[in-house]
Amino acid sequence: MNNIVLALLVIVTGYIVKITLFPSYKQNPNLKSKGKKKPEVEKKKPIVEGSFTPRQLSQYNGHDEKEIFIAVKGTVYNASSARGFYGPSGPYSNFAGHDASRGLAKNSFEFDVIRTFEQPIDDLNDLTETEKVALDDWEALFKRKYPVVGKLVAEET
Ligand code: HEM
């Protein structure tokens, strides 16, 4: 009988020690198995990967490459998580694979405010103060929401 009581005591003490030392196993199921989805914070961590010319960027339009990259004020963001907005059938698909700065500044997603990869990179110098403020607000949203993958650079000649 004494042995049984002792065994139970060991088990209970062991369990208390385990949940005290390793509480995360209980709280965060993502830590349990490697195959599971990574926690949200890790997914959003910005990774700077390199430089994109407008021509290279144009591949990431959600068609040619599955991923969707968008440039805002010279920085390229991976907006693949917002395929509903920027994917081929989304309302803002014109921005995918492009520098969206001018469109965002002027509140338009029409092609006439979006440069093609054959045109020089937009210096945005002619924007009005209001448009610049609008663009800065969009930039803040992109910074908050999407990982940075690089810079928009001119093609070497
Ligand atoms: C009829 C006018 C419009 C309506 C009703 C509208 C509505 C919306 C709504 C409801 C969202 C989703 C917001 C959210 O859930 O976070 C959204 C997102 C967005 N809108 Fe519009 N929109 C309009 C026009 C425009 C125009 C003209 C632009 C051009 C710059 C634009 C650019 C965007 C962008 C870029 C996003 C996605 C932002 C992100 O990546 O989270 N929208 N819009």
Side-chain angles (χ1 to χ4, degrees), residues 25 27 35 61 66 68 107 118 124 128 140 143-144 149 157:
Y25 281 94
Q27 288 160 2
N61 57 7
K66 245 180 89 192
I68 298 168
N107 202 34
E118 273 130 357
L124 304 167
T128 66
K143 270 195 187 1
R144 248 193 344 263
V149 286
T157 46

Side-chain angles (χ1 to χ4, degrees), residues 85-86 92 95 103-104 107-109 138 141 145-146:
F85 288 145
Y86 306 110
Y92 312 118
F95 289 149
L104 293 171
N107 202 34
S108 165
F109 43 76
W138 281 111
L141 178 134
K145 206 171 161 188
Y146 305 118

Side-chain angles (χ1 to χ4, degrees), residues 38-53:
K38 293 199 172 162
E40 200 65 12
V41 186
E42 234 178 279
K43 254 190 349 198
K44 284 188 179 166
K45 216 163 90 181
I47 329 150
V48 176
E49 283 179 355
S51 312
F52 297 83
T53 64

Side-chain angles (χ1 to χ4, degrees), residues 38-106:
K38 293 199 172 162
E40 200 65 12
V41 186
E42 234 178 279
K43 254 190 349 198
K44 284 188 179 166
K45 216 163 90 181
I47 329 150
V48 176
E49 283 179 355
S51 312
F52 297 83
T53 64
R55 191 185 300 271
Q56 288 166 331
L57 180 64
S58 71
Q59 295 293 302
Y60 297 90
N61 57 7
H63 288 275
D64 304 329
E65 292 284 341
K66 245 180 89 192
E67 287 184 301
I68 298 168
F69 290 177
I70 296 173
V72 180
K73 287 180 73 178
T75 300
V76 179
Y77 298 86
N78 184 340
S80 304
S81 61
R83 185 161 278 270
F85 288 145
Y86 306 110
S89 50
Y92 312 118
S93 61
N94 287 357
F95 289 149
H98 289 88
D99 177 5
S101 308
R102 182 166 290 270
L104 293 171
K106 291 186 173 286

Side-chain angles (χ1 to χ4, degrees), residues 2-18:
N2 268 352
N3 282 348
I4 295 170
V5 173
L6 194 67
L8 282 175
L9 208 65
V10 168
I11 291 167
V12 171
T13 314
Y15 180 69
I16 291 169
V17 169
K18 180 182 171 285

